[in-house]
Amino acid sequence: MPYQVNIGVTRYVFPDLRTLLAKASPLRSGDCLAGLAAENATERVAAQMCLADVPLKRFLEDLLIPYEQDEVSRLIIDGHNVQAFAMVSHMTVGDFRNWLLSTEANQGSLQQISSGLSPEMVAAVSKIMRIQDLILVSQKIEVISRFRNTLGLRGNLATRLQPNHPLDDPAGIASSILDGLLYGSGDAVIGINPATDNYQAVTRLMHLVDDVIQRFDIPTQSCVLTHVSTHLEAIEKGVPVDLVFQSIAGTQAANMSFGIDLSMLHEAHQAALSLKRGTIGNQVMYFETGQGSALSANAHHGIDQQTCEARAYAVARKFNPLLVNTVVGFIGPEYLYDGKQIIRAGLEDHFCGKLLGLPMGCDVCYTNHAEADQDDMDSLLTQLGVAGVNFIMGVPGADDIMLNYQSTSFHDALYLRQTLHKQPAPEFLAWLVKMGITDTRGLLVGNGSLPEGFSFLEARL
């Protein structure tokens, strides 16, 4: 059915819901590249006005990709919790925004409706929200996850220690791990992007990080960010695997471009659960996403990139992950052109993911050919901290020498923790205090010497 609205003497007509969502989306280069963006600001405002009047129920009736053609669509519809949806089922998108901003929407009520919301609903409402709206609602939501420590508590900010190396050199990786631990980084995960998917190289890194965690009894988890099929092989052969990683997207075709489907993710989830390596929880999956991934695979079905991104969160939600990370600026300026677009996208992703009940982190990042710089990243980092992001990246010097992009450093995490009075995960903080790295507030107290017992890591350098 067409959607239409008058602005002055001009009538704007949008032929279907897919078009309306795309035209209402704040400007980004990926939608322009796909030919989906509004032609000008006036058309965008018209689409946003029209979208505000769409009933939330419509998103369950008018599917962007037909149920028969896409397993993500089937997942969304089959997993919809009608009872949880009842509280907001009478609302339009605009009504929903107003309710989210009200005091009635609190931790309890937002948690209650989470499983009743579809990705398209939360994507739609985010398109008519200001940045301050996205922050206000996000900070209301606490999403807690557990494996060897407790992540997502309101007063905590975790970091992924990312010790990548262009040659997967164990000495270089050990050096970065040591550096990060001495700055209080690594409570979300010690996670390595391997330079190669070679099975022997990947499993060597799995053993390395597990050895560090076990030897020092660090209450954290490890992950080597290789393909899910490699994780399955490693699990079958007895390699120590804490978290299973996979990049995911919001359409079946895009996931197929990654070499995965829902059945493969289910198999990996069950395999990781069978290991029972968690000490206080059993959330064993780590997913990464990014606006533009479906478009880059020509698998977006004419859907704007932000709505596709929200659909990826339905995939993540199915498998109860420990961590979900939007790698917001990594895919490049073809999809998010400059700092302004990256900032908006990062806050949208965080908002949509948390509203759907996910433990959201963000790689606050950009590539060197984007129109962005570290000042933009400082702005997004701070805004996400206020919005209650679960975790960020900790990269030596904020410069990933293997992936060749700019992220956030160990120092950036310290800045955010100190400024917003946040602490590491409680179990990890206790370990930092025991090792003499921080005080009980999470502030560094080291005197420049290595804590007792760290000679093992020093020997790997």
Side-chain angles (χ1 to χ4, degrees):
M1 62 169 288
Y3 299 83
Q4 51 192 352
V5 65
N6 293 331
I7 296 184
V9 297
T10 305
R11 170 167 292 189
Y12 290 86
V13 179
F14 308 97
D16 51 39
L17 191 54
R18 184 188 298 127
T19 303
L20 179 62
L21 285 165
K23 299 289 189 181
S25 194
L27 178 65
R28 55 212 54 193
S29 52
D31 292 336
C32 295
L33 179 68
L36 302 175
E39 293 184 6
N40 51 52
T42 305
E43 186 183 28
R44 183 171 299 108
V45 169
Q48 290 170 344
M49 291 172 61
C50 201
L51 181 61
D53 290 333
V54 174
L56 292 180
K57 289 181 179 178
R58 186 70 50 77
F59 296 98
L60 301 173
E61 303 162 353
D62 188 1
L63 302 188
L64 303 186
I65 308 176
Y67 183 93
E68 299 78 15
Q69 296 179 15
D70 184 87
E71 67 174 1
V72 178
S73 292
R74 293 193 290 276
L75 174 66
I76 292 167
I77 297 302
D78 294 346
H80 183 250
N81 186 330
V82 176
Q83 185 175 0
F85 182 53
M87 183 185 295
V88 296
S89 62
H90 62 287
M91 295 182 184
T92 65
V93 173
D95 294 333
F96 187 41
R97 172 190 177 272
N98 293 339
W99 181 80
L100 288 171
L101 295 173
S102 74
T103 55
E104 291 180 37
N106 53 36
Q107 170 67 18
S109 58
L110 291 170
Q111 187 175 31
Q112 182 180 342
I113 68 170
S114 178
S115 61
L117 300 176
S118 76
E120 293 85 356
M121 293 176 196
V122 300
V125 76
S126 74
K127 295 176 191 296
I128 63 169
M129 298 178 82
R130 295 170 58 184
I131 279 181
Q132 65 175 248
D133 299 340
L134 298 172
I135 293 172
L136 174 61
V137 177
S138 295
Q139 62 81 34
K140 296 181 183 185
I141 306 169
E142 185 181 59
V143 182
I144 298 170
S145 58
R146 295 181 175 90
F147 187 76
R148 291 200 186 101
N149 56 25
T150 306
L151 302 171
L153 293 169
R154 196 172 299 280
N156 296 157
L157 172 72
T159 58
R160 169 189 160 188
L161 203 173
Q162 184 169 304
N164 296 344
H165 192 279
L167 299 177
D168 287 340
D169 177 60
I173 289 171
S175 176
S176 293
I177 292 174
L178 175 59
D179 191 22
L181 291 173
L182 292 176
Y183 279 105
S185 185
D187 44 347
V189 64
I190 301 176
I192 304 170
N193 295 94
T196 173
D197 260 345
N198 175 273
Y199 177 80
Q200 285 71 29
V202 165
T203 53
R204 184 166 59 246
L205 296 180
M206 290 177 176
H207 281 289
L208 167 64
V209 185
D210 184 65
D211 200 5
V212 172
I213 290 173
Q214 300 303 327
R215 187 174 294 246
F216 295 111
D217 196 24
I218 307 174
T220 191
Q221 34 283 329
S222 66
C223 186
V224 177
L225 280 67
T226 186
H227 192 268
V228 65
S229 59
T230 307
H231 282 290
L232 279 168
E233 183 179 358
I235 291 171
E236 290 170 2
K237 295 182 179 178
V239 177
V241 173
D242 288 344
L243 305 183
V244 169
F245 166 81
Q246 184 55 51
S247 294
I248 57 174
T251 72
Q252 179 178 341
N255 284 324
M256 288 176 63
S257 77
F258 291 148
I260 62 166
D261 58 20
L262 296 180
S263 64
M264 181 180 287
L265 293 178
H266 174 75
E267 180 184 0
H269 185 222
Q270 293 303 306
L273 285 173
S274 72
L275 299 179
K276 299 180 180 179
R277 291 176 58 83
T279 54
I280 66 169
N282 63 352
Q283 289 169 279
V284 295
M285 303 299 283
Y286 175 16
F287 294 119
E288 287 193 344
T289 66
Q291 288 194 27
S293 59
L295 174 59
S296 69
N298 195 28
H300 60 297
H301 296 270
I303 303 170
D304 68 90
Q305 65 182 40
Q306 190 254 337
T307 302
C308 280
E309 171 73 4
R311 285 171 55 94
Y313 302 152
V315 177
R317 183 166 62 174
K318 173 68 175 177
F319 300 102
N320 190 27
L322 181 77
L323 307 166
V324 179
N325 179 32
T326 169
V327 193
V328 64
F330 182 75
I331 200 166
E334 299 87 352
Y335 305 95
L336 295 169
Y337 179 72
D338 57 14
K340 181 180 177 66
Q341 292 186 16
I342 292 171
I343 289 169
R344 172 80 197 190
L347 293 167
E348 288 171 350
D349 295 350
H350 178 249
F351 164 86
C352 290
K354 286 186 79 175
L355 201 52
L356 290 169
L358 291 174
M360 291 300 296
C362 183
D363 192 343
V364 181
C365 64
Y366 64 100
T367 56
N368 288 313
H369 60 312
E371 291 295 322
D373 59 27
Q374 211 63 44
D375 286 343
D376 296 313
M377 299 306 103
D378 283 352
S379 296
L380 178 55
L381 174 68
T382 305
Q383 291 173 59
L384 283 168
V386 175
V389 72
N390 280 26
F391 67 98
I392 60 169
M393 303 301 106
V395 177
D399 184 5
D400 193 301
I401 59 174
M402 193 280 284
L403 292 173
N404 291 309
Y405 79 118
Q406 308 303 310
S407 185
T408 47
S409 70
F410 308 136
H411 302 81
D412 293 331
L414 292 177
Y415 145 74
L416 201 57
R417 284 172 174 167
Q418 292 178 25
T419 301
L420 300 179
H421 307 290
K422 302 271 190 177
Q423 294 183 338
E427 300 86 352
F428 191 77
L429 175 60
W431 180 83
L432 292 171
V433 172
K434 182 180 74 173
M435 297 300 292
I437 297 172
T438 73
D439 63 18
T440 56
R441 297 168 297 171
L443 301 178
L444 295 182
V445 296
N447 59 10
S449 61
L450 288 177
E452 183 179 354
F454 269 52
S455 56
F456 161 74
L457 266 180
E458 195 175 23
R460 302 299 291 262
L461 306 182

